Every structure is written in structure tokens, then in C-alpha cells.
């Protein structure tokens, strides 16, 4: 079931200089920490002059959609899913 969340979250990332790629490695949502085990699709889009980077990740058998606002560098949890149909 997909839940739309839209809450700020803390995200720890890593940057690979050779690949020039940023990757979330863990996130904290509420009082729970989640270690990212798999990176899915990543895309970006512009909203006015602000670029957003969206990461789909798997952590603790849950699917998360994370949004990084490139202007403020704030992370938002947009969606979480357990993978089961609604």
C-alpha cells in the first residue's frame, strides 16, 4: 500500500567523485532509522527555478520516495510503500 507522506526527513548520503553520483545510504523518519539496501530510479525536475532530485530507495523491506530540494538542500519523504496492493 502506498502512503503519501510529505514530511521532512534526515538523510545521510555519500558522493562518489569518480562516478559523480550522490546516493542516499540511510534515512531517519520519526524515531526510526532505515539503512538503504537498494537504490532504484533517480530523476530530477524543475519547479519554477528550483530543481528537485527524486530518489527511489529500498530500506527494511519498505520502498521510499525521497525528494531533495536543490535550492534549500532539504529532504522530504514523499511516499512510503510496503509493496502490497492498495
Amino acid at each position: 500500500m502506498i502512503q503519501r507522506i510529505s514530511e521532512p526527513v534526515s538523510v545521510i548520503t555519500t558522493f562518489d567523485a569518480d562516478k559523480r553520483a550522490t546516493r542516499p545510504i540511510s534515512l531517519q523518519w520519526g524515531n526510526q532509522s532505515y539503512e538503504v539496501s537498494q537504490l532504484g530510479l533517480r530523476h530530477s525536475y524543475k519547479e519554477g527555478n528550483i530543481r528537485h532530485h527524486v530518489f527511489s530507495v529500498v530500506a527494511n523491506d519498505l520502498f521510499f520516495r525521497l525528494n531533495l530540494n536543490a535550492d534549500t538542500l532539504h529532504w522530504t519523504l514523499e511516499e512510503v510503500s510496503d509493496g502490497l496492493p492498495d
Side-chain angles (χ1 to χ4, degrees), residues 8-45:
V9 290
S10 298
V11 178
I12 296 174
T13 63
T14 185
F15 177 73
D16 185 323
D18 293 331
K19 296 179 182 175
R20 301 191 53 81
T22 299
R23 180 182 187 273
I25 56 174
S26 69
L27 67 116
Q28 183 170 347
W29 176 38
N31 295 328
Q32 184 76 28
S33 291
Y34 299 89
E35 297 297 319
V36 173
S37 58
Q38 189 174 10
L39 178 64
L41 298 176
R42 188 196 79 74
H43 71 278
S44 63
Y45 67 92

Side-chain angles (χ1 to χ4, degrees), residues 3 24 34 38-39 46 50 53 56 60-62 76 81-82:
Q3 290 181 292
Y34 299 89
Q38 189 174 10
L39 178 64
K46 284 189 86 170
I50 300 171
H53 299 278
S56 296
N60 298 24
D61 296 323
L62 294 172
T76 303
S81 173
D82 57 10

Side-chain angles (χ1 to χ4, degrees), residues 3-8 76-79:
Q3 290 181 292
R4 302 211 188 287
I5 304 294
S6 192
E7 291 181 11
T76 303
L77 174 59
E78 293 184 339
E79 295 177 354

Side-chain angles (χ1 to χ4, degrees), residues 45-85:
Y45 67 92
K46 284 189 86 170
E47 184 177 54
N49 290 331
I50 300 171
R51 177 154 309 273
H52 294 265
H53 299 278
V54 180
F55 296 83
S56 296
V57 300
V58 178
N60 298 24
D61 296 323
L62 294 172
F63 301 90
F64 295 92
R65 180 178 160 129
L66 302 169
N67 183 317
L68 172 63
N69 179 320
D71 186 50
T72 63
L73 299 179
H74 294 174
W75 287 90
T76 303
L77 174 59
E78 293 184 339
E79 295 177 354
V80 64
S81 173
D82 57 10
L84 299 174

